[in-house]
Amino acid sequence: MATECGKCGPGYPSPLEAMKGPREEIVYLPCIYRNTNTEAPDYLATVDVDPKSPQYCQVIHRLPMPHLKDELHHSGWNTCSSCFGDSTKSRTKLLLPSLISSRIYVVDVGTEPRAPKLHKVVEPKDIHAKCDLGYLHTTHCLASGEVMISSLGDPKGNGKGGFVLLDGETFEVKGTWERPGGAAPMGYDFWYQPRHNVMVSTEWAAPNVLQDGFNPADVEAGLYGNHLHVWDWQRHERVQTLTLQDGLIPLEIRFLHNPAADQGFVGCALSSNIQRFYKNEGGTWSVEKVIQVPPKKVKGWMLPEMPGLITDILLSLDDRFLYFSNWLHGDLRQYDISDPQRPRLTGQLFLGGSIVKGGPVQVLEDQELNSQPEPLVVKGKQVAGGPQMIQLSLDGKRLYVTTSLYSAWDKQFYPDLIREGSVMLQIDVDTVKGGLKLNPNFLVDFGKEPLGPALAHELRYPGGDCSSDIWL
């Protein structure tokens, strides 16, 4: 096991070994003040999630960034299980790329894991000058020791799906991963699988289209993404573009964790479906829809039909379960993917959302529910927003959930989130038969933060997790 390996690098030798790793005790998550009523920098919160600790469910540390309005979003590591074989590497720095300012913060979590400190700031001008990219999203560490970060646009906010390469020791900007002129028209998330010499990336929209809110007319105008881009991992170039039939706004993408696997899933937010991508018999890549969340006919909302809006997806480390959140409908789902072509619904839980009883929206026609779900109250707090970012414990038995998507869209779809702040919840998972159950004793209320209600986003464990680590 990794823990008995004196000369090993970060992470674990395999996804199944990672499942035997220690229980999470603290969680890092960025908290956003952009587009709220608080004029303060975004910050990295450290939350105690150890039930034996007197500080259980509390924010035990806050690291404010030196600038305002960055829009921290996702985060990633200086190194992960892709470098397990390199004993000179250790997972000590958490990288926080800014979605709007394009700044990258490198945070030292190794010296004092319960009290992170700022190590380095990579300024936007460096990224603009060396890469002609901006609006940064997903961070993955590479086996080469470098760190790779995807972009949504160019410095002016036009769509451009490229990748920034940083040195994993100095965090200097090295340039782009893709060849000059080789960026995709749009970007968002990515995942690589070296045994198949492949990386696949997704599309949201140009920053200028999405950054101030969602306009349905932009969908009609074709300004939102509906493609997957397949890249040759060794040659750093795009070799195939897959048009998603009925797949609008493909966001989070996950290969199966097994490094030999030649398939994975992508969550298409606006069309509210899960599509499976796979290597076909001819050696190129194909895609098929395997789950569809039907829209609900409503009144009292911005459109006559409300999509689920699948905003995050996760795969358990044993590749048995797929989880995703419907941010608008308000449910979190678990599917058994033992047969990846035929996922089977095994768990569903409503955690707030836009269609709760007593809210402004009336459901007129619903293919799934007989009645509108009750509002969620946890430890006396009515939860605003819907389930959004999710993170699974290594053993697959606990799912953590936050409720903020992106500050401008939060403000538009859930004004209560801006007033009340987001929350972090914990769900108990039945890993034998499947099933989800809310832990009624767990609540982190970011509405009570010292400087005012904050929007908490993606969750990370210090030792890596099922959306940060890639195995070779």
Side-chain angles (χ1 to χ4, degrees):
M1 247 190 85
T3 47
E4 295 158 8
C5 171
K7 294 187 179 167
C8 292
Y12 301 89
S14 72
L16 293 179
E17 285 295 336
M19 292 188 81
K20 303 173 192 169
R23 181 182 169 128
E24 66 286 353
E25 294 180 351
I26 57 173
V27 168
Y28 301 124
L29 67 173
C31 292
I32 289 85
Y33 275 133
R34 185 174 165 270
N35 277 316
T36 70
N37 302 319
T38 301
E39 191 78 6
D42 299 346
Y43 59 98
L44 181 69
T46 306
V47 174
D48 189 321
V49 293
D50 179 2
K52 299 193 288 292
S53 163
Q55 295 173 303
Y56 181 54
C57 279
Q58 291 176 31
V59 180
I60 56 171
H61 188 267
R62 298 169 185 86
L63 175 69
M65 299 302 121
H67 297 272
L68 290 168
K69 301 188 185 343
D70 283 308
E71 190 89 31
L72 298 183
H73 199 61
H74 286 218
S75 63
W77 295 105
N78 62 315
T79 185
C80 75
S81 295
S82 63
C83 290
F84 178 75
D86 185 348
S87 59
T88 66
K89 299 267 189 287
S90 63
R91 191 189 313 251
T92 56
K93 306 292 189 303
L94 184 66
L95 279 77
L96 299 168
S98 303
L99 188 62
I100 296 300
S101 73
S102 307
R103 212 170 260 112
I104 303 168
Y105 295 105
V106 183
V107 175
D108 174 4
V109 297
T111 308
E112 180 42 75
R114 297 175 77 86
K117 54 181 191 265
L118 194 58
H119 172 73
K120 179 171 180 165
V121 181
V122 182
E123 290 295 346
K125 63 178 192 309
D126 276 0
I127 296 153
H128 295 167
K130 292 181 182 171
C131 305
D132 192 38
L133 295 173
Y135 302 90
L136 305 178
H137 192 268
T138 299
T139 303
H140 280 304
C141 29
L142 310 186
S144 61
E146 295 162 312
V147 176
M148 180 165 159
I149 305 176
S150 60
S151 78
L152 271 69
D154 68 12
K156 295 192 172 92
N158 304 304
K160 189 175 185 184
F163 304 90
V164 175
L165 266 190
L166 301 181
D167 183 287
E169 302 287 336
T170 64
F171 305 102
E172 293 296 316
V173 180
K174 296 179 76 170
T176 61
W177 174 85
E178 72 278 7
R179 296 176 174 215
M186 293 183 208
Y188 184 73
D189 195 22
F190 71 101
W191 198 280
Y192 61 88
Q193 199 80 320
R195 290 194 198 178
H196 295 280
N197 187 35
V198 69
M199 174 181 86
V200 185
S201 66
T202 64
E203 303 183 326
W204 186 359
N208 290 339
V209 170
L210 67 89
Q211 64 181 334
D212 295 325
F214 173 72
N215 181 350
D218 291 336
V219 180
E220 296 297 315
L223 299 179
Y224 277 93
N226 71 329
H227 298 93
L228 298 183
H229 301 284
V230 181
W231 304 74
D232 184 302
W233 185 238
Q234 290 173 337
R235 299 204 330 256
H236 298 205
E237 59 189 22
R238 200 157 45 115
V239 290
Q240 198 181 349
T241 295
L242 297 170
T243 302
L244 298 168
Q245 302 305 321
D246 189 28
L248 266 174
I249 315 188
L251 292 183
E252 304 293 329
I253 189 160
R254 312 280 182 246
F255 263 97
L256 295 184
H257 292 289
N258 176 352
D262 59 359
Q263 61 182 321
F265 299 92
V266 60
C268 298
L270 194 59
S271 50
S272 303
N273 52 48
I274 301 288
Q275 308 233 3
R276 170 184 166 258
F277 61 92
Y278 59 97
K279 196 185 215 173
N280 58 43
E281 288 176 0
T284 61
W285 295 79
S286 300
V287 66
E288 62 175 356
K289 182 166 78 170
V290 289
I291 300 169
Q292 178 68 54
V293 176
K296 300 180 192 297
K297 288 198 170 139
V298 293
K299 97 174 181 196
W301 196 63
M302 68 188 295
L303 296 167
E305 284 204 339
M306 182 189 289
L309 209 76
I310 297 173
T311 48
D312 197 15
I313 72 168
L314 275 187
L315 303 181
S316 61
L317 286 167
D318 55 4
D319 292 330
R320 180 162 170 224
F321 290 112
L322 163 75
Y323 298 88
F324 68 79
S325 50
N326 283 309
W327 189 59
L328 290 177
H329 288 178
D331 58 318
L332 183 69
R333 298 190 183 201
Q334 176 197 46
Y335 285 79
D336 185 317
I337 51 165
S338 306
D339 177 354
Q341 290 175 268
R342 291 170 196 80
R344 185 170 57 87
L345 181 65
T346 47
Q348 184 177 21
L349 203 52
F350 277 84
L351 305 167
S354 293
I355 58 162
V356 293
K357 274 185 192 156
V361 176
Q362 184 187 350
V363 178
L364 305 174
E365 203 176 299
D366 194 325
Q367 295 177 42
E368 295 185 317
L369 302 177
N370 296 322
S371 63
Q372 294 182 225
E374 297 291 337
L376 178 67
V377 179
V378 183
K379 296 179 87 169
K381 171 155 178 133
Q382 182 166 330
V383 171
Q388 208 287 102
M389 293 309 297
I390 50 179
Q391 190 54 267
L392 189 65
S393 60
L394 296 178
D395 63 8
K397 292 180 179 173
R398 289 166 303 286
L399 199 58
Y400 296 91
V401 185
T402 57
T403 49
S404 160
L405 172 64
Y406 158 63
S407 67
W409 289 32
D410 291 353
K411 192 173 184 175
Q412 180 178 5
F413 290 102
Y414 289 116
D416 287 2
L417 257 184
I418 305 296
R419 290 191 298 272
E420 299 281 326
S422 63
V423 298
M424 176 175 162
L425 305 169
Q426 189 240 304
I427 314 302
D428 292 320
V429 179
D430 184 332
T431 54
V432 181
K433 299 194 294 283
L436 303 172
K437 192 174 159 210
L438 179 73
N439 177 350
N441 301 311
F442 187 102
L443 173 76
V444 185
D445 182 359
F446 291 95
K448 294 198 164 88
E449 286 296 271
L451 296 179
L455 303 169
H457 200 64
E458 193 193 38
L459 307 121
R460 285 270 170 258
Y461 308 137
D465 48 61
C466 61
S467 58
S468 70
D469 281 37
I470 293 177
W471 281 268
L472 307 179

